Amino acid sequence: MALPAFSDNVLTADESWISDENVVRDEDQAVHRWYRFVLAYPPHLVRDYLNDFEVGPGGVVLDPFCGTGTTIVEAKKLGVTGIGIEAAPMAHFACAVKTNWTEQPNRLMKHARCIAASLANRRMPSRLRTLSPEAASLLIKDSISPRPLHRALVLSEAIRESGSGRLQRYEMLALARILPTQVGNLRFGPEIGVSAQKKDDAPVVDLWLAAVEEIASDLAGLPNHFAPSKVIHGDSRRDLGLIEPGSVDAIITSPPYPNEKDYTRTTRLESVLLGFFSTKAELRASKKTLVRSNTRTIYKGDDDESWVADHVEIQRLAKEIEDRRIEMGKTSGFEKQYHKVTTQYFGGMARHLDQMKTVLRPGAQLAYVVGDQASYLRVMIRTGELLADIAERQGFEVERIDLFRTRPATATKELLREEVVVLRWPGV
């Protein structure tokens, strides 16, 4: 049973919003397809910049917002040592599993088939398993129907009780992959939503076993000799203690953009079902480790804005957003936070860049994939230009800003620029 490539992440009636530049090519699917964020940049972009920066085997590339590991996986394929930092626990888990190529594929499949066989003859009980009320409250309403939820919980328990910790990680990632759209009712186009047609009886175990088979197939075809990798669960504004000072040759990354996209919602279903969050307090604690890119991550005591207190253009943008909110009579609690997101976001990026200087070698080059935004009352935020200016103030050299692609704004459908800000660290 073959799974469509990335069907779990881009299942939508209208896929015209996915640009050719962002499509994962057939020859690049191995490992990347195990689990991938919606609109994550493609592997060929990583190759392009590693080649441009002349980083090859023996080099070290860092992705400080590594997500599900596109940069680290592609670097590993090319023999380049990869280091990732990721604050979100589901994404960190995915990246860590995707960069571990030491398991024997035959052993993985034998183990997974034993689990599937143990569940094959179980009948649907009259009382279905469900989540705790607080855990269920973290999900988007109707994101998964009762029967598929029951089957997913039973499968998750069987994996956990199977007695093989090393294999469990691949098996749990396969479950995470199928949950959003093959088992659950979510759709991405590009915003997350609930499909009109609910899945009431998804064949959870069959879908999961097919996903495990793809992992095993990829493991069998990977090189026997590959570069090491390290994936740090942490905050890229602070947690750099595990990286050797002056050791990094290049950064290739895509930080969050300043908009109203709560990135934790994109992976909420699998995060809850795999046990990364079960309470609002746990979710809140995780959000506090993220760069403040939306109003759901603004908290009392945040101080990143102090890093751009004297930046005239960022302060002007924040004032324009707040003035427009008042003029339009917008009074919700989230709307009152719009201008704060702007200063907290760019302040957080300034803090992050300051930290990066400690691990970069002199002459290291950096590629930051960022995009224009107009989410806050249609005030245009030129993210790439502002990030380049912040970096220059930090002592980086701005080499250029490349156009990666254009994409339609959610509200206005205006084409926005997604760019790669290319920097160089000259050293001190």
Side-chain angles (χ1 to χ4, degrees), residues 220-291:
L222 290 170
N224 293 325
H225 302 287
F226 44 78
S229 58
K230 178 191 300 184
V231 186
I232 300 165
H233 187 201
D235 182 344
S236 67
R237 298 168 297 170
R238 298 178 176 87
D239 297 327
L240 303 182
L242 296 177
I243 304 175
E244 182 181 348
S247 64
V248 173
D249 298 295
I251 287 177
I252 301 174
T253 192
S254 182
Y257 307 164
N259 56 31
E260 268 311 85
K261 185 185 292 293
D262 181 352
Y263 291 91
T264 69
R265 282 168 57 87
T266 304
T267 61
R268 190 73 59 83
L269 178 59
E270 53 267 48
S271 293
V272 170
L273 265 66
L274 267 65
F276 292 113
F277 306 128
S278 60
T279 68
K280 292 179 180 178
E282 291 171 347
L283 176 59
R284 187 183 307 113
S286 180
K287 283 186 175 184
K288 286 186 175 182
T289 65
L290 305 174
V291 169

